[in-house]
C-alpha cells in the first residue's frame, strides 16, 4: 500500500522574544532622583576650618508621546549650607518647569538618555556672622529663569523599574533683593548661578489604562 507524506513549512513566532523598548508610547514614567554631598576643609596657615553640606531632590512625571520621547513636568529643591568659625552661609533653590527626555536606544534593558527642562526658579540665601561682636545678617532673595540638563543612563528591571545615574548641569538667571539687618537697606542685583553634579534615582514605568 503506497504511503503518502505531507510536509509543511513552519516558522517560529518570535514576537514574544523580540527586544521591545520599555520606553513605549503611552506609558508613564514617574519617580524620584537626587544628589547629596558633604565635605570639610582646613586652612593650616590660618587654622580656619569649614564644613559644607549639600543635597538636591527632584520629583517628576511624564508620558511617552512616541517611543523613547517623554514629555512631562518636574520640580526640584536644592539646599546648601557652608559654615566656618566666623560665618554661616545657607542657600535654597526651588525649581519647577516642563521636562523633555529622549532615550537613545530601543534596548529592553535600558538606554543612554538626555533631558532638558526650562522653568521658573525661586532663590534665597542667608549669610550671617559676627562683625566686631555684632551679628550681621545679609539676605538675598528673589526669582528668575532656570535651565536644567541631564545626560545619563537608565537601567530597566523587569520592564517596570528603572535605575538612573546622571550628570547634571543647571544654570539660573536671578533677579534678587539684598537686605541687611543692620541698616535695613535694600539693593537690587542680577547674576547668574550654575552648578555641576551627579544624581541617582528610581523611577516606575506605568501602562496607560483605557477609558
Amino acid at each position: 500500500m503506497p504511503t503518502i507524506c505531507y510536509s509543511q513549512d513552519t516558522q517560529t513566532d518570535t514576537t514574544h522574544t523580540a527586544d521591545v523598548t520599555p520606553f513605549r508610547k503611552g506609558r508613564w514614567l514617574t519617580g524620584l532622583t537626587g544628589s547629596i554631598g558633604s565635605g570639610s576643609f582646613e586652612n593650616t596657615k590660618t587654622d580656619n576650618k569649614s564644613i559644607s553640606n549639600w543635597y538636591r531632590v527632584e520629583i517628576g512625571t511624564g508620558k511617552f508621546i512616541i517611543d523613547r520621547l517623554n514629555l512631562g513636568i518636574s520640580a526640584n529643591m536644592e539646599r546648601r549650607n557652608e559654615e566656618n568659625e566666623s560665618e554661616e552661609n545657607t542657600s535654597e533653590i526651588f525649581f519647577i518647569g516642563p521636562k523633555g527626555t529622549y532615550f537613545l536606544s530601543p534596548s529592553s534593558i535600558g538606554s543612554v538618555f538626555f533631558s532638558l527642562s526650562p522653568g521658573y526658579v525661586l532663590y534665597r540665601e542667608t549669610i550671617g556672622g559676627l562683625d566686631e561682636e555684632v551679628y550681621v545678617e545679609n539676605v538675598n532673595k528673589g526669582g528668575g529663569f532656570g535651565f536644567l540638563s541631564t545626560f545619563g543612563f537608565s537601567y530597566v528591571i523587569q520592564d517596570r523599574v528603572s535605575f538612573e545615574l546622571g550628570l547634571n548641569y543647571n544654570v539660573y538667571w536671578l533677579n534678587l533683593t539684598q537686605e541687611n539687618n543692620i541698616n535695613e537697606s535694600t539693593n537690587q542685583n542680577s547674576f547668574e548661578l550654575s552648578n555641576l553634579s551627579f544624581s541617582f534615582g528610581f523611577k516606575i514605568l506605568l501602562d496607560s489604562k483605557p477609558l
Side-chain angles (χ1 to χ4, degrees), residues 20-36:
V20 179
T21 176
F23 312 113
R24 300 186 291 276
K25 178 182 177 180
R27 303 190 89 187
W28 287 85
L29 183 64
T30 302
L32 185 72
T33 59
S35 307
I36 188 170

Side-chain angles (χ1 to χ4, degrees), residues 62-106:
K63 186 176 183 179
F64 288 94
I65 59 172
I66 60 173
D67 284 358
R68 308 201 311 274
L69 177 59
N70 184 280
L71 296 181
I73 188 171
S74 71
N76 75 62
M77 186 186 76
E78 298 180 33
R79 191 176 193 276
R80 183 184 300 271
N81 178 264
E82 299 179 7
E83 58 181 281
N84 55 37
E85 297 176 356
S86 59
E87 68 176 21
E88 181 178 4
N89 184 336
T90 301
S91 62
E92 296 176 335
I93 297 175
F94 177 77
F95 173 92
I96 187 169
K99 183 176 182 178
T101 305
Y102 184 72
F103 297 85
L104 277 67
S105 171

